[in-house]
Amino acid sequence: MHILLDQLWIIIALPLVGSAINGLLGRKFPKPVVNTVAIGALALSFLCALEAVREFLAAGQATVFHTYFTWIHAGIFQVDFRLQMDQLTVVMLLVVTFVSLLVHIYSTGYMAHEEGYYRFFSYLNLFVFFMLILVLAANVVLLFVGWEGVGLCSYLLVGFWFLKPSAISAGKKAFITTRIGDFGFTVGILLLFWTFKSVDYVEIFKKASTMPVEAWGLGGTLTVICLLLFTGAVGKSAQLPLYVWLPDAMEGPTPVSALIHAATMVTAGVYMVARMNPLFSRAPLALFVVALIGALTAFFAATIGLLQTDIKKVLAYSTVSQLGYMFLACGVGAYASGIFHLMTHAFFKGLLFLAAGSVIHAMGGDQEMPHMGGLRTKIPITFWTMLIATLAIAGIPGFAGFFSKDAILEAAKDGPNANFWLWLLGVVAAGMTSFYMFRLIFLTFFGKPRYDEHKVHVHESPYNMTGPLIVLAILSTIGGWFAAPHLVGGPDYFTNFLHPVFAAYAPETGTAVSEAAGEAASPAILLFHALTGWPVIVGLLGLALAWWFYIKSPDTPKKLAQSLSGPYTLIHNKYYVDEIYGFLIIQPLLWISTNVLWHFVDEGVIDGTVNGTARVARETGSHVREIQSGNARSYATWVVIGGAGVTVLMLGLWGMVR
C-alpha cells in the first residue's frame, strides 16, 4: 500500500497550510510559535517526500500519475489537477524540500530581530508550496501556476523590506523582467496546446515521439515551441539578456538569496528544459540556442564577478554563470548532467549565500569585502564551511562541483552535440569562477582586519545559523560522489537513475546523453585524465592567481587596474548594460507613458471628454436657470412663444403629411 505515493497532494498542502496560519494569525503569535508552524510544515513536507520517494523506489521506479480533480474544462481544453512522480521529480522534490527546510531553520537566527517576522515565514512557506507544484505538476498549465507563483513570492521576498527604496525597486525589476520572458512562455504553452490538443506531458510526449527530428537550419513548429518556452526560462533563470534582475534581487534578506536565487526558483528554467526534453531533442536549432545562451551567460557573468566588491553581488553573478552551465549541459543533450549540477549547485551555492549572511551578521550588516579581512579566526565555522563551498564551486577534485562541472564540460567536448567553442567558453568561465571565489575567500578571511575593531564586534553566528552551514558543507563535499565510479570507467549512478526520463521518448538519432561509455584504458589512466583535465587545471590556476593577487602581492590588482583602465572600467560598471537598457527601453517607455498615455490620452482625451461634457452641462444649466426669474409676465411671454412654436411645428408636419 503506497499511502504517500497515492496522496502526493499532502506534500504540497503542508507548506500552504503553514503559510496560511502564519499569514492570517502570525501577527498575534510569539516568534517560537511562528517558527514551529513554518519549520514544522516544511519538516513534515520533507518527511512525506522521503516516504513517497521510498515507496517509489520500492515499487520499481515506475512513473506514478494521480488525477485528483478536473480544474478547467472548456470544449477540448481540459486541465486536471494531476501530479506525477518520476526520477526527475525525485531529485527536485528532495532538493527543494530539504534545502528549504535548512533555510527556514537558518532564518530563525538571521531574521530574529526583524519586523514582519511572521510575514517573512509566511512568504517562505508560500514559495515552497508553489515550487512543489511546479516540480510535481503533470501538465504544463499546472507547471505554469507554480512558475508564476514562485515569481510572485520572489517579488514579495525581494521587496520584504518595503520601507527601503532599493528593495522596492529590486522587487519590481525582478517581477517585470521575468514577465517579459513569461510572455513568450505563455505563447509557447498556447502553441503547444494548438499543436498537440493537450497540455498533459504524457499526451504531448507520445505525439511528439512520432514526429521526426527537425532539420537544423529549417526549424519547424517544435523549434518555435521550444524557443518560446526557453524565452520563459531565460527570464526565470536569469540568462542573457534578461539576467539583470537577479543581481539587484540581492537587496532582499540573505536567506531569500540562498533559497530563491540560488537553490530553487532560478533553476526552474533548467528543470523545464529537462522536463520537455522530448521536444527539445527533436529541435536541434532550439537546442543549440539553449547551449549558446548558456555558454555565453556563463562566460559573461563570470567576467563581471571578477571585480565585484559586495560579497552578495559576487555570489549573484556567480549564480547567473552557474545557471549558464546548466543550460549548456541541456543544450548539448546532457540533460542528466545539467540536473546533476542543479543539485550540487543547490548545496554549495545555498551554503555560500548562507555563509555570506553569517559574515554580514558578524560584520554588523557590512557587505563590502574591502572592509573585511582576517575573519577566519573569529568566525571559524563560517570560514571552514564557506571554504568547502568555494572548493566545490571551483571544481577542485573530491568536492561536489568537480563531478557535475566535469560531466558538463565532458559532454560539451565529446558528447553527441559537442561544440569546441562552447566547451572553450565553459572552460574559461570555470577558471574565472575559481579566481573570483578564492578572491572572495582571501579578501574576507585572510590578511589584516580592514575594519574598526572598536566599532565592529565580530562574532560567530548562533547554532541555528551555523547548523545548516555544517549540513550543507557535508553535502557540498559528498553530494557528487554518485558519479565517482565513472571517473575510472565505471557507471555514473546519477545519470543511470535519470536515464528512464530522458530515454523514454528520445528520438532514434538521439541527442540525449545516457551513460557515457568508458574509454578503453585502465581505471588508473582514466582517473589520471580526470584529475589532470582542463577543468581541474583552470580551477587550480584560478586559485593560484587569486592567492598571488590578494595574498602574495596585494598591490598587483591596483597596478593591473591602472594599466588596463579601459577594460577595468567597462567590467567594473558591468558593461553598462543597465544604463543601456535604461536609455533604449526604460526612458522611452517613461516618456511615452508620461507625455502620450498620461498627458495626451488620459488628461487630454479621456479627462477632456468627461470634464468637457460636465462643463457644457453646467454652463447650459446656468443659462437655463436664468429663465426661472419669478416674473409672471416673463412666464406668460415664454408660454406664448412656446405655444406659437408648437403651432408652427404642427402646421409644418401637417403640410408634409398632405
Side-chain angles (χ1 to χ4, degrees):
M1 185 175 181
H2 301 138
I3 300 176
L4 266 303
L5 204 56
D6 293 336
Q7 305 298 331
L8 292 173
W9 62 270
I10 295 176
I11 302 173
I12 295 175
L14 287 167
L16 180 61
V17 172
S19 175
I21 292 174
N22 274 333
L24 297 174
L25 306 174
R27 183 188 295 272
K28 301 178 181 179
F29 291 164
K31 289 179 180 178
V33 175
V34 173
N35 296 343
T36 301
V37 171
I39 296 176
L42 255 295
L44 289 173
S45 181
F46 172 63
L47 292 175
C48 290
L50 278 179
E51 174 58 20
V53 170
R54 187 197 67 78
E55 294 173 4
F56 172 78
L57 297 176
Q61 300 187 29
T63 303
V64 174
F65 298 96
H66 285 293
T67 301
Y68 296 100
F69 58 87
T70 297
W71 177 27
I72 302 172
H73 191 186
I76 64 171
F77 181 72
Q78 180 170 322
V79 180
D80 297 325
F81 187 84
R82 180 175 167 87
L83 305 180
Q84 73 172 42
M85 176 172 281
D86 60 8
Q87 290 81 357
L88 180 56
T89 309
V90 166
V91 175
M92 295 298 298
L93 189 61
L94 294 180
V95 168
V96 170
T97 53
F98 187 64
V99 174
S100 299
L101 177 60
L102 292 178
V103 171
H104 276 68
I105 295 171
Y106 177 94
S107 298
T108 61
Y110 191 87
M111 302 295 292
H113 304 292
E114 296 292 340
E115 294 292 333
Y117 188 83
Y118 74 95
R119 181 166 51 88
F120 179 80
F121 279 97
S122 177
Y123 292 164
L124 278 188
N125 274 182
L126 186 64
F127 165 78
V128 177
F129 162 72
F130 281 119
M131 191 67 196
L132 290 175
I133 285 182
L134 189 154
V135 168
L136 287 166
N139 60 66
V140 290
V141 175
L142 199 56
L143 176 141
F144 186 69
V145 171
W147 186 277
E148 292 299 302
V150 295
L152 168 65
C153 292
S154 176
Y155 167 76
L156 294 173
L157 286 165
V158 171
F160 175 76
W161 289 315
F162 55 82
L163 298 179
K164 186 179 177 182
S166 58
I168 298 172
S169 298
K172 290 188 293 185
K173 186 175 183 179
F175 193 78
I176 294 171
T177 304
T178 53
R179 293 290 75 70
I180 296 171
D182 289 350
F183 174 77
F185 191 69
T186 305
V187 176
I189 292 176
L190 294 175
L191 185 56
L192 201 64
F193 175 75
W194 181 269
T195 304
F196 297 101
K197 301 299 184 290
S198 177
V199 293
D200 285 344
Y201 293 146
V202 173
E203 292 299 319
I204 292 172
F205 297 162
K206 282 182 179 179
K207 293 178 181 179
S209 65
T210 64
M211 303 172 70
V213 176
E214 296 181 346
W216 198 94
L218 300 172
T221 303
L222 289 181
T223 298
V224 175
I225 291 173
C226 290
L227 289 176
L228 287 170
L229 294 178
F230 181 61
T231 303
V234 166
K236 191 70 69 181
S237 296
Q239 298 294 283
L240 286 170
L242 301 179
Y243 72 94
V244 291
W245 67 268
L246 196 147
D248 286 9
M250 298 302 105
E251 290 291 339
T254 300
V256 174
S257 304
L259 178 61
I260 295 183
H261 304 130
T264 52
M265 187 196 87
V266 292
T267 61
V270 181
Y271 167 77
M272 185 274 296
V273 172
R275 174 61 72 192
M276 306 300 289
N277 72 89
L279 304 184
F280 280 89
S281 294
R282 288 171 172 79
L285 178 59
L287 214 55
F288 175 75
V289 171
V290 172
L292 180 62
I293 293 295
L296 289 174
T297 304
F299 175 85
F300 179 83
T303 62
I304 299 178
L306 295 173
L307 299 179
Q308 295 299 301
T309 57
D310 184 314
I311 191 170
K312 287 180 66 176
K313 286 292 181 68
V314 174
L315 298 179
Y317 283 105
S318 173
T319 298
V320 175
S321 181
Q322 296 303 307
L323 289 166
Y325 269 108
M326 299 175 205
F327 282 113
L328 172 60
C330 292
V332 297
Y335 301 107
S337 297
I339 298 299
F340 191 20
H341 198 58
L342 183 156
M343 181 186 76
T344 60
H345 179 263
F347 298 151
F348 59 69
K349 184 55 66 65
L351 173 55
L352 284 169
F353 268 113
L354 295 184
S358 184
V359 171
I360 296 168
H361 179 267
M363 291 294 299
D366 195 342
Q367 299 181 188
E368 288 293 319
M369 296 186 297
H371 300 166
M372 300 176 188
L375 296 180
R376 71 182 186 279
T377 58
K378 298 190 176 183
I379 48 174
I381 297 177
T382 300
F383 164 66
W384 285 108
T385 53
M386 198 168 196
L387 178 61
I388 289 172
T390 300
L391 293 169
I393 194 175
I396 302 303
F399 294 89
F402 161 72
F403 298 99
S404 56
K405 187 177 292 186
D406 183 74
I408 292 172
L409 293 176
E410 179 184 354
K413 183 181 180 183
D414 299 318
N417 297 330
N419 185 299
F420 171 78
W421 297 108
L422 299 182
W423 171 82
L424 184 61
L425 284 174
V427 169
V428 175
M432 290 190 289
T433 299
S434 178
F435 175 82
Y436 66 65
M437 285 308 307
F438 281 104
R439 168 180 178 262
L440 182 153
I441 291 293
F442 294 141
L443 283 176
T444 303
F445 295 102
F446 287 80
K448 295 181 180 180
R450 295 182 295 277
Y451 54 88
D452 189 341
E453 297 185 65
H454 297 289
K455 294 182 179 180
V456 180
H457 303 287
V458 178
H459 56 284
E460 186 62 274
S461 299
Y463 70 92
N464 51 350
M465 292 174 64
T466 56
L469 298 185
I470 295 171
V471 174
L472 287 172
I474 294 171
L475 292 174
S476 297
T477 304
I478 66 173
W481 281 82
F482 296 102
H486 178 65
L487 301 181
V488 293
D492 182 338
Y493 291 109
F494 190 87
T495 300
N496 289 350
F497 178 70
L498 289 177
H499 180 71
V501 177
F502 303 123
Y505 301 99
E508 293 182 2
T509 53
T511 56
V513 173
S514 60
E515 182 186 351
E519 300 177 25
S522 68
I525 294 177
L526 291 175
L527 182 61
F528 174 78
H529 286 316
L531 298 180
T532 57
W534 279 108
V536 176
I537 292 173
V538 296
L540 295 175
L541 182 61
L543 190 163
L545 282 176
W547 175 82
W548 179 270
F549 278 21
Y550 298 99
I551 299 297
K552 180 66 175 178
S553 180
D555 292 332
T556 301
K558 295 181 181 178
K559 295 177 181 178
L560 196 60
Q562 292 173 354
S563 61
L564 299 173
S565 59
Y568 176 85
T569 302
L570 182 65
I571 297 174
H572 182 70
N573 288 283
K574 298 164 285 189
Y575 298 98
Y576 298 100
V577 172
D578 281 305
E579 289 79 3
I580 293 172
Y581 283 178
F583 179 76
L584 294 179
I585 300 174
I586 297 174
Q587 290 183 13
L589 285 176
L590 287 176
W591 187 90
I592 293 171
S593 298
T594 302
N595 295 284
V596 178
L597 299 179
W598 175 17
H599 291 311
F600 178 72
V601 176
D602 191 14
E603 292 183 337
V605 178
I606 299 175
D607 289 352
T609 301
V610 174
N611 295 336
T613 302
R615 185 170 57 253
V616 169
R618 184 174 60 251
E619 292 176 356
T620 302
S622 298
H623 292 299
V624 172
R625 184 177 57 192
E626 295 176 357
I627 298 175
Q628 301 295 326
S629 61
N631 190 316
R633 286 185 299 175
S634 175
Y635 292 162
T637 302
W638 284 112
V639 168
V640 171
I641 293 173
V646 170
T647 302
V648 171
L649 178 63
M650 295 299 294
L651 290 174
L653 292 174
W654 175 255
M656 292 175 62
V657 171
R658 293 188 61 188

